[in-house]
Amino acid sequence: MTSTFYRGGIFMWKRVLFITLVALSVFALADVKKIVFWTAPNPNQEAFWKALVEKWNAEHPDVQIEWSVIPAAGSSEEAILNAIAAGNAPDICTNIFSGFAAQLAEELDVLVAFDEEFGEEFWKLADARKMRNILEGWKLNGHYYVIPIYSNPMLFWWRGDLLKELGYEKPPRTYSEVYEVARKWVVPKERYVIRAVAGRNWWDRWFDFITFYYAASGGKPYIENGKAVFDNEYGKAVAEFIYTLFKNSWTAVDLGQDPFENGTILGQIMGPWHLSYTKEHYPDVYPHIVMTPPPVPDNYPEDKPVYTFADTKGLVMFKHCKYKKEAFEFIKWVFSNAQNDARWIELTHMPPAREDLGTNPVFAEYMKDPYFAKIAEAVAYAVPPALITNTIDVQNTMTTYLIEPLMYLKATPEEALKRAVEEINALLW
């Protein structure tokens, strides 16, 4: 009798313990704070974020990051806007360019202003990551809605081997020097001096006129106080440069596949992401790449740094985020550690948005690569695009009324600039 009672007591005790443990587990799970995080659908960036999220989740059982890439759509912007409309947008998200950030912050009012929400903690992060000056290019209406992740300075790639065959030890710096090289190199319908126009897509304006404008102007804005201002001396110089190249058949609309690598052109604006492509597909060309800032007008001072366009994207937090403090702790955890930025370089070959790439010993190994060193050096002089809500419309208008008339010689540079600025300002006001 005693033995049977004892066994029954043990059974009941185990049952009670089991129920208690289950109850505690359910309670603990209910208490976990979940933060939804989307990142760019890019294999290298996915590898970077996957490892970090796994590490964070293992170390922070009470705050779990639910990570996935931005859903498939026509573009990341479209996917995010669809999610906002459906009420299932993430709490934090990467792959945000400046114009889209402006749209999210101003038109939709869905973004957290980091400086306003987190105050001194935000500025401590800015200083820890050495990005306080870079942040100025992201300021919108006096606030900061984006934490820049990377900054790709657009540099000019030149075929050093072909220039040497022409007798040049270094690439041309000014417009007149480009013309001089063109006279020696160009064979109409066969080879040209540079690619002057990147294409007809709205984003192509970042990689031709806007890059050239930043270089010519010392990084001055092309849209200021809600108004297009590039019909000035700098815009005229750039428009005249593009027009002259087409007028003399020193460049062309269609340059064929991989014109730089195939020797159809001597130079063009390129981003860091193209290095791996050239190295893999054109290993004989890769060692002969010479990187410089974009060409500048003849009167540009030789001792003044040349600015360029920054292909740069960052991270935002949405106002609907339930656990803002915890989400910001994750953001700080990622970006306060320089080793994470070193891993970013290793995986993506893109420079993180830091001002100390050339001085921080954490990055010394990567600076041994002369190409990366040149790119890193230019980060401080790389300017994001204008923070406006209607970037796509503005740059499509720039294509229609400025770039195409210059390409097809249908308007003088002055006429094209005047019309483009008028049309853009009609959109902005």
Short mmCIF file of all heavy atoms in Angstrom, two decimals, residues 139-170:
data_model
loop_
_atom_site.label_atom_id
_atom_site.label_comp_id
_atom_site.label_asym_id
_atom_site.label_seq_id
_atom_site.Cartn_x
_atom_site.Cartn_y
_atom_site.Cartn_z
N LYS A 139 20.61 64.59 -43.62
CA LYS A 139 19.72 65.41 -42.79
C LYS A 139 18.49 65.83 -43.58
O LYS A 139 18.60 66.30 -44.71
CB LYS A 139 20.46 66.64 -42.27
CG LYS A 139 19.63 67.47 -41.29
CD LYS A 139 20.30 68.80 -40.96
CE LYS A 139 21.53 68.63 -40.11
NZ LYS A 139 22.10 69.94 -39.69
N LEU A 140 17.34 65.66 -43.00
CA LEU A 140 16.07 66.03 -43.63
C LEU A 140 15.25 66.86 -42.66
O LEU A 140 14.87 66.37 -41.59
CB LEU A 140 15.30 64.77 -44.05
CG LEU A 140 13.95 64.99 -44.72
CD1 LEU A 140 14.11 65.69 -46.06
CD2 LEU A 140 13.22 63.65 -44.89
N ASN A 141 15.03 68.12 -43.03
CA ASN A 141 14.26 69.03 -42.17
C ASN A 141 14.81 69.07 -40.75
O ASN A 141 14.06 69.10 -39.77
CB ASN A 141 12.78 68.63 -42.15
CG ASN A 141 12.14 68.68 -43.52
OD1 ASN A 141 12.50 69.53 -44.34
ND2 ASN A 141 11.20 67.79 -43.79
N GLY A 142 16.14 69.04 -40.65
CA GLY A 142 16.79 69.17 -39.36
C GLY A 142 16.88 67.90 -38.55
O GLY A 142 17.36 67.94 -37.41
N HIS A 143 16.45 66.77 -39.12
CA HIS A 143 16.48 65.51 -38.38
C HIS A 143 17.14 64.41 -39.19
O HIS A 143 17.40 64.55 -40.38
CB HIS A 143 15.06 65.10 -37.96
CG HIS A 143 14.46 65.99 -36.92
ND1 HIS A 143 14.92 66.05 -35.63
CD2 HIS A 143 13.45 66.90 -37.01
CE1 HIS A 143 14.20 66.93 -34.94
NE2 HIS A 143 13.31 67.46 -35.76
N TYR A 144 17.38 63.28 -38.52
CA TYR A 144 18.09 62.16 -39.12
C TYR A 144 17.23 60.90 -39.03
O TYR A 144 17.03 60.35 -37.95
CB TYR A 144 19.43 61.95 -38.41
CG TYR A 144 20.30 63.19 -38.41
CD1 TYR A 144 20.15 64.15 -37.41
CD2 TYR A 144 21.23 63.42 -39.42
CE1 TYR A 144 20.91 65.31 -37.42
CE2 TYR A 144 22.01 64.56 -39.44
CZ TYR A 144 21.84 65.50 -38.44
OH TYR A 144 22.60 66.65 -38.45
N TYR A 145 16.74 60.48 -40.18
CA TYR A 145 15.83 59.34 -40.24
C TYR A 145 16.52 58.08 -40.73
O TYR A 145 15.90 57.01 -40.75
CB TYR A 145 14.67 59.66 -41.20
CG TYR A 145 13.80 60.81 -40.75
CD1 TYR A 145 14.11 62.13 -41.11
CD2 TYR A 145 12.67 60.59 -39.97
CE1 TYR A 145 13.31 63.19 -40.70
CE2 TYR A 145 11.87 61.64 -39.55
CZ TYR A 145 12.20 62.94 -39.92
OH TYR A 145 11.41 63.98 -39.50
N VAL A 146 17.76 58.19 -41.14
CA VAL A 146 18.48 57.07 -41.75
C VAL A 146 19.85 56.90 -41.10
O VAL A 146 20.55 57.90 -40.85
CB VAL A 146 18.67 57.28 -43.26
CG1 VAL A 146 19.35 56.07 -43.90
CG2 VAL A 146 17.33 57.56 -43.94
N ILE A 147 20.22 55.67 -40.84
CA ILE A 147 21.59 55.36 -40.45
C ILE A 147 22.27 54.77 -41.69
O ILE A 147 21.93 53.65 -42.11
CB ILE A 147 21.64 54.37 -39.28
CG1 ILE A 147 21.09 55.06 -38.02
CG2 ILE A 147 23.07 53.87 -39.04
CD1 ILE A 147 20.97 54.18 -36.82
N PRO A 148 23.18 55.52 -42.32
CA PRO A 148 23.81 55.02 -43.55
C PRO A 148 24.64 53.77 -43.27
O PRO A 148 25.36 53.71 -42.27
CB PRO A 148 24.68 56.18 -44.01
CG PRO A 148 24.92 57.01 -42.79
CD PRO A 148 23.70 56.83 -41.94
N ILE A 149 24.50 52.78 -44.12
CA ILE A 149 25.24 51.53 -43.95
C ILE A 149 26.51 51.55 -44.77
O ILE A 149 27.60 51.27 -44.27
CB ILE A 149 24.36 50.32 -44.34
CG1 ILE A 149 23.16 50.23 -43.39
CG2 ILE A 149 25.19 49.03 -44.29
CD1 ILE A 149 22.16 49.16 -43.79
N TYR A 150 26.38 51.88 -46.05
CA TYR A 150 27.56 51.92 -46.92
C TYR A 150 27.51 53.18 -47.78
O TYR A 150 26.46 53.79 -47.96
CB TYR A 150 27.65 50.67 -47.80
CG TYR A 150 26.53 50.50 -48.79
CD1 TYR A 150 26.54 51.14 -50.03
CD2 TYR A 150 25.45 49.67 -48.50
CE1 TYR A 150 25.51 50.97 -50.94
CE2 TYR A 150 24.41 49.50 -49.41
CZ TYR A 150 24.45 50.15 -50.63
OH TYR A 150 23.42 49.99 -51.53
N SER A 151 28.66 53.55 -48.29
CA SER A 151 28.76 54.71 -49.17
C SER A 151 29.73 54.37 -50.29
O SER A 151 30.93 54.25 -50.06
CB SER A 151 29.25 55.93 -48.38
OG SER A 151 29.33 57.06 -49.23
N ASN A 152 29.19 54.20 -51.47
CA ASN A 152 30.00 53.86 -52.64
C ASN A 152 30.31 55.12 -53.45
O ASN A 152 29.44 55.62 -54.15
CB ASN A 152 29.26 52.87 -53.55
CG ASN A 152 29.20 51.48 -52.99
OD1 ASN A 152 30.17 51.00 -52.44
ND2 ASN A 152 28.06 50.83 -53.12
N PRO A 153 31.52 55.64 -53.36
CA PRO A 153 31.86 56.80 -54.18
C PRO A 153 31.97 56.39 -55.64
O PRO A 153 32.61 55.39 -55.97
CB PRO A 153 33.23 57.24 -53.65
CG PRO A 153 33.51 56.40 -52.46
CD PRO A 153 32.65 55.19 -52.56
N MET A 154 31.33 57.16 -56.51
CA MET A 154 31.46 56.89 -57.94
C MET A 154 32.78 57.48 -58.44
O MET A 154 32.98 58.70 -58.39
CB MET A 154 30.30 57.52 -58.71
CG MET A 154 28.96 56.88 -58.43
SD MET A 154 28.92 55.12 -58.82
CE MET A 154 29.02 54.41 -57.19
N LEU A 155 33.67 56.61 -58.85
CA LEU A 155 34.96 57.05 -59.38
C LEU A 155 35.02 56.78 -60.87
O LEU A 155 34.23 56.02 -61.42
CB LEU A 155 36.10 56.33 -58.66
CG LEU A 155 36.25 56.66 -57.17
CD1 LEU A 155 37.39 55.86 -56.56
CD2 LEU A 155 36.47 58.15 -56.96
N PHE A 156 35.97 57.44 -61.51
CA PHE A 156 36.18 57.20 -62.94
C PHE A 156 37.22 56.11 -63.10
O PHE A 156 38.30 56.18 -62.51
CB PHE A 156 36.65 58.48 -63.63
CG PHE A 156 35.86 58.79 -64.86
CD1 PHE A 156 34.62 59.39 -64.78
CD2 PHE A 156 36.35 58.46 -66.13
CE1 PHE A 156 33.87 59.67 -65.92
CE2 PHE A 156 35.61 58.73 -67.27
CZ PHE A 156 34.37 59.33 -67.17
N TRP A 157 36.86 55.07 -63.84
CA TRP A 157 37.81 54.02 -64.16
C TRP A 157 38.41 54.31 -65.53
O TRP A 157 37.68 54.61 -66.49
CB TRP A 157 37.12 52.67 -64.21
CG TRP A 157 36.68 52.11 -62.91
CD1 TRP A 157 36.50 52.78 -61.72
CD2 TRP A 157 36.32 50.76 -62.68
NE1 TRP A 157 36.06 51.91 -60.76
CE2 TRP A 157 35.93 50.66 -61.31
CE3 TRP A 157 36.28 49.61 -63.46
CZ2 TRP A 157 35.51 49.46 -60.74
CZ3 TRP A 157 35.86 48.42 -62.89
CH2 TRP A 157 35.49 48.34 -61.54
N TRP A 158 39.71 54.22 -65.60
CA TRP A 158 40.42 54.43 -66.86
C TRP A 158 41.22 53.18 -67.22
O TRP A 158 41.71 52.48 -66.34
CB TRP A 158 41.39 55.62 -66.74
CG TRP A 158 40.72 56.93 -66.47
CD1 TRP A 158 40.51 57.52 -65.26
CD2 TRP A 158 40.18 57.83 -67.45
NE1 TRP A 158 39.88 58.73 -65.40
CE2 TRP A 158 39.67 58.95 -66.74
CE3 TRP A 158 40.09 57.80 -68.84
CZ2 TRP A 158 39.06 60.02 -67.39
CZ3 TRP A 158 39.49 58.88 -69.49
CH2 TRP A 158 38.98 59.97 -68.76
N ARG A 159 41.36 52.96 -68.51
CA ARG A 159 42.22 51.88 -68.99
C ARG A 159 43.65 52.39 -69.04
O ARG A 159 44.10 52.98 -70.04
CB ARG A 159 41.75 51.42 -70.37
CG ARG A 159 40.50 50.56 -70.37
CD ARG A 159 40.73 49.19 -69.77
NE ARG A 159 41.72 48.43 -70.52
CZ ARG A 159 41.44 47.62 -71.53
NH1 ARG A 159 40.16 47.44 -71.89
NH2 ARG A 159 42.39 46.96 -72.16
N GLY A 160 44.38 52.15 -67.95
CA GLY A 160 45.75 52.64 -67.86
C GLY A 160 46.64 52.10 -68.96
O GLY A 160 47.52 52.82 -69.46
N ASP A 161 46.42 50.84 -69.37
CA ASP A 161 47.26 50.25 -70.42
C ASP A 161 47.07 50.94 -71.76
O ASP A 161 48.04 51.23 -72.47
CB ASP A 161 46.97 48.74 -70.53
CG ASP A 161 45.48 48.43 -70.74
OD1 ASP A 161 44.63 49.28 -70.41
OD2 ASP A 161 45.18 47.31 -71.22
N LEU A 162 45.81 51.25 -72.09
CA LEU A 162 45.54 51.90 -73.37
C LEU A 162 46.00 53.35 -73.38
O LEU A 162 46.46 53.86 -74.41
CB LEU A 162 44.05 51.80 -73.70
CG LEU A 162 43.49 50.37 -73.81
CD1 LEU A 162 42.00 50.40 -74.13
CD2 LEU A 162 44.25 49.57 -74.87
N LEU A 163 45.88 54.01 -72.24
CA LEU A 163 46.38 55.39 -72.15
C LEU A 163 47.89 55.42 -72.33
O LEU A 163 48.43 56.33 -72.99
CB LEU A 163 45.99 55.99 -70.79
CG LEU A 163 44.53 56.44 -70.65
CD1 LEU A 163 44.22 56.77 -69.19
CD2 LEU A 163 44.24 57.65 -71.54
N LYS A 164 48.59 54.45 -71.77
CA LYS A 164 50.05 54.40 -71.93
C LYS A 164 50.44 54.20 -73.39
O LYS A 164 51.43 54.78 -73.87
CB LYS A 164 50.64 53.29 -71.07
CG LYS A 164 50.74 53.66 -69.60
CD LYS A 164 51.42 52.56 -68.79
CE LYS A 164 51.51 52.97 -67.31
NZ LYS A 164 52.12 51.92 -66.49
N GLU A 165 49.65 53.41 -74.11
CA GLU A 165 49.91 53.23 -75.54
C GLU A 165 49.78 54.53 -76.30
O GLU A 165 50.45 54.74 -77.33
CB GLU A 165 48.94 52.20 -76.12
CG GLU A 165 49.21 50.77 -75.66
CD GLU A 165 48.20 49.78 -76.21
OE1 GLU A 165 47.43 50.17 -77.14
OE2 GLU A 165 48.16 48.64 -75.73
N LEU A 166 48.94 55.43 -75.77
CA LEU A 166 48.78 56.75 -76.40
C LEU A 166 49.83 57.75 -75.92
O LEU A 166 49.88 58.87 -76.40
CB LEU A 166 47.38 57.32 -76.08
CG LEU A 166 46.19 56.66 -76.78
CD1 LEU A 166 44.90 57.30 -76.29
CD2 LEU A 166 46.30 56.79 -78.29
N GLY A 167 50.63 57.34 -74.94
CA GLY A 167 51.69 58.22 -74.43
C GLY A 167 51.34 58.95 -73.16
O GLY A 167 52.05 59.89 -72.77
N TYR A 168 50.27 58.52 -72.47
CA TYR A 168 49.85 59.20 -71.24
C TYR A 168 50.18 58.33 -70.03
O TYR A 168 49.76 57.18 -69.94
CB TYR A 168 48.35 59.49 -71.26
CG TYR A 168 47.93 60.48 -72.31
CD1 TYR A 168 47.43 60.04 -73.55
CD2 TYR A 168 48.05 61.85 -72.10
CE1 TYR A 168 47.06 60.94 -74.53
CE2 TYR A 168 47.68 62.77 -73.08
CZ TYR A 168 47.18 62.31 -74.28
OH TYR A 168 46.81 63.20 -75.26
N GLU A 169 50.91 58.89 -69.09
CA GLU A 169 51.25 58.17 -67.87
C GLU A 169 50.16 58.28 -66.81
O GLU A 169 50.12 57.49 -65.88
CB GLU A 169 52.57 58.71 -67.30
CG GLU A 169 53.79 58.37 -68.13
CD GLU A 169 53.98 56.87 -68.28
OE1 GLU A 169 53.84 56.14 -67.26
OE2 GLU A 169 54.24 56.41 -69.41
N LYS A 170 49.30 59.26 -66.94
CA LYS A 170 48.18 59.40 -66.02
C LYS A 170 46.94 59.83 -66.79
O LYS A 170 47.04 60.43 -67.86
CB LYS A 170 48.50 60.39 -64.90
CG LYS A 170 48.81 61.80 -65.37
CD LYS A 170 49.14 62.69 -64.17
CE LYS A 170 49.40 64.14 -64.63
NZ LYS A 170 49.68 65.02 -63.48
#
